[in-house]
Amino acid sequence: MATSRVPSSYDPLKAGSIDGTDGVAHDRAVLRALGSNYRPTHLSTGQPDRCLFVGRLNAETTVESLRRTFEKLGDVAECRVVHDPVTLESRRCTPLAPAWVAATAQLMLPFLHNVSF
């Protein structure tokens, strides 16, 4: 049986609970999440289970410098720097989609514990 660390569905009650057993919403944020419906923007591309999140970047980091750095390890399918939509300042993080992430995940699969979300 294949396991995945990426949940197939989002349950705000489990996400907002310390041990995943809460049955009643305990704050307004969880209540809002229960009533929300996620719709990716037109800018959202790629597959989340094939992304590598890189944080704590320098504010001056560019797409070119990221690509140059990670291409030393192999092909990079998708690379972008996340910016604040209002201030346009860098949020100092990026989701990368290097080709080797999927292969690494397949190699690690037998060693991962079955995680239930």
Side-chain angles (χ1 to χ4, degrees), residues 15 23 59 69:
T69 300

Side-chain angles (χ1 to χ4, degrees), residues 16-115:
S17 169
I18 271 185
D19 58 3
T21 60
D22 287 354
V24 178
H26 60 279
D27 65 18
R28 287 186 184 169
V30 173
L31 285 173
R32 277 194 313 272
L34 282 168
S36 68
N37 190 11
Y38 174 71
R39 291 178 307 281
T41 68
H42 67 283
L43 299 174
S44 298
T45 60
Q47 299 170 316
D49 59 337
R50 287 180 167 57
C51 281
L52 174 69
F53 179 81
V54 180
R56 301 184 62 152
L57 297 172
N58 185 314
E60 265 90 75
T61 301
T62 64
V63 172
E64 293 79 24
S65 65
L66 277 170
R67 189 173 291 278
R68 207 172 33 252
T69 300
F70 282 93
E71 280 183 340
K72 293 175 186 173
L73 301 171
D75 290 337
V76 176
E78 183 181 339
C79 177
R80 67 184 179 92
V81 176
V82 179
H83 290 89
D84 185 280
V86 176
T87 64
L88 301 179
E89 290 182 5
S90 172
R91 289 209 175 154
R92 301 175 63 174
C93 62
T94 180
L96 283 171
W100 45 266
V101 168
T104 304
Q106 288 301 318
L107 289 172
M108 292 175 53
L109 204 56
F111 304 103
L112 297 175
H113 296 286
N114 187 3
V115 177

